[in-house]
Each structure stands twice: as C-alpha cells, then as structure tokens.
Amino acid sequence: MNTGAPTVLVLGGTGFLGRHITAGFAARGARAVPSARHGAHRVDLTAADPAPLAALLREVRPDVVVNASGRAWAAGAQAMAAANSDAVATLAAALTGLPVPPRLIHLGSVHEYGPGTVGAGTREDHEPAPVTDYGRSKLGGTRAVLDAVRTEGLDAIVLRLANVCGPGTHRGSLLGAVGARLAEAAVAAGPAADPVELRLAPLRAHRDFVDVRDVVDAVLAAAGAPRQDHPVINIGSGAARPMRLIIDRLVALSGLPVRIVEDAGDPLRTDAEWQQLDISRARRVLNWSPARDLDTSLSDLLGAARTELTTQTAMERKT
C-alpha cells in the first residue's frame, strides 16, 4: 500500500465490519472512504446497472478497495446470491476495466468450506463444500475474485474470515442477539425478580470466532502485503470452541441471573458442526495473529450493546 496517505474505498462501509475497517485505515493516516447503499458515496452493488459503481471508482480513485459488503441476516437464498456472489463479479469486472486497477481485499467466510474435520483446522487448500445458502453465496463471490485474478490479472487477496464478534456485533447473529437481550435486562428499571430466560436453538456446534479488531489488523496487513500467487488466506482464532461454552461465558460476563433453554432444533437445518481455521498462512504471509482473547471480545460486545441501548433510550425520552 502506498505510504503517502493512500485512498481506501470500503464497500459496505456502514456495516459492522465496514465501520471498523474504515476507522482502522483512517487511524493509519489513509483517506478512508466508506460506501454503502445509503449515505454519501452510495452505491448498490446488486443493481443491474454497473454505471454508478464505475462512476464511484473514477471519483474516489482508490489505491485499495475493501469489499465488506454483502447479506447474511434476514435474507433468502436469492438475495444472498445477488449480494454475495453476483455483486462481487460485477465489482471484479469494474476493477479490471480500470487503467490502473487498485488492490482488492475481499472478505470471504469460513462458511464457504462447509463441515470441517473434528479436532483439526481447515487449510486454504481444502476443497470447499458449503452446506448453507450463505456459504454457497460467499463461495460464489470468492470464485468470482479468483477467476478475475487468473484470467485478468487482478491484484486481489481473499481473507476467509471465521465468525466475527466484538463491539457492534450484529444482533442478527447468535452472539449479537444474546448480547442485545442481556443489555436490555441490564438497563431495565428495577431489579430483576426472576432470571432472564434465553430460548435458543440447540448449542451443539463448535465454532471459530475472531475479534472484529483483529480482522481490521488483518485487512491492514493485507493492504500492504506482496502480491499473492495463492490469494486466499484464513483469518480466525485457530480454535474451535463449543457454542454452549461461549454463550455460558457471555452470560457470566453479564453478571445477570440467566436461565438458558435450548429448544428443539429445526430438523431441516443444515450447518457445519465443526468450524476451525488453520491460520498458519496468515502468520507466515501477513505476519498476523489474533491479539484479542474471547473474554475481551465478549465483554466489549456487551459493553457496546449496553451503550447503544442506553443512548437509544435517552434519545427516545428526549422526543
């Protein structure tokens, strides 16, 4: 990455990942330009007309483009395919059409791999076999980037992320939803007479979680890394933890009396029971390792959820 105040365009810049990434680049002295479907520098990558994207690229003239856009929560298979796969193909085509294409850092997902091997970390050369609509749509986006690298010479790095948590975690996710519920209980008026009841789907899976701020560090490292012949790099904690243990820890950190009820699961649901990334390539290529432990991520998730709720409540009272 150019050391003289480079320009970085962050697509999906108003979302959970995008906000943190934009702030991370700005803290390093870069001109960080967030773009989303709403607000300034807006662009909808799922739109049929690619002209607004081309105009945005000409206007911003980025040295680096970070694709943190996409759909995960409250979206069907078609919407996820449009946002996570088709839109990435449009972006790759737009970048390769520029006179001097910027580096693309595309954020992929551990869900592209599908089921992992119990007790082992999944490496980048593992053949993807996603079992969810989200995983399939994300894999489509990664393949669009890799096709552009192979056929058009696009300079790109795909960071295949583990499940991301930390301050600002989306409440559509399990940890975000539980954090929001605990925050509501914590700021409720008066002492709670009874334990907070959390009704959750069966917590059978083991998951690899990485802090959002560690993801930012990985993106910053990828922006300045040498061009890669093998552009996919795993970013995670390198450990698979039982989801029940993670939820229990989140509850313990909240300090609230909580009763967890695991409802019967959806018999038609398909998901990987074991997710663990091998992150040795990230250490070697990016000189990156996760710096935050899970307790830090969960504590900061709770703190941010409480702050958001308190601020929202104060604003409602003013109106």
Side-chain angles (χ1 to χ4, degrees), residues 77-120:
Q78 186 173 355
M80 285 190 284
N84 301 335
S85 183
D86 299 343
V88 182
T90 299
L91 172 61
L95 293 177
T96 57
L98 295 174
V100 182
R103 163 161 290 179
L104 171 64
I105 301 172
H106 174 69
L107 304 185
S109 169
V110 63
H111 292 275
E112 298 174 37
Y113 285 123
T117 301
V118 174

Side-chain angles (χ1 to χ4, degrees), residues 217-239:
D217 290 343
V219 172
L220 291 169
R227 187 178 182 123
Q228 299 296 308
D229 293 330
H230 303 285
V232 178
I233 303 174
N234 289 339
I235 300 297
S237 71

Side-chain angles (χ1 to χ4, degrees), residues 124-205:
E124 289 86 353
D125 57 3
H126 178 85
E127 184 64 30
V131 293
T132 63
D133 290 332
Y134 176 70
R136 285 185 282 270
S137 68
K138 290 296 291 183
L139 179 59
T142 291
R143 284 177 169 164
V145 172
L146 298 181
D147 284 347
V149 170
R150 185 180 64 255
T151 62
E152 302 295 335
L154 181 65
D155 179 10
I157 291 178
V158 176
L159 299 181
R160 206 166 250 162
L161 307 181
N163 303 282
V164 184
C165 62
T169 300
H170 196 288
R171 64 175 55 208
S173 68
L174 175 59
L175 295 191
V178 172
R181 178 70 182 91
L182 295 174
E184 290 168 0
V187 302
D194 298 312
V196 179
E197 183 175 277
L198 292 177
R199 304 195 70 90
L200 306 173
L203 301 170
R204 297 186 297 259

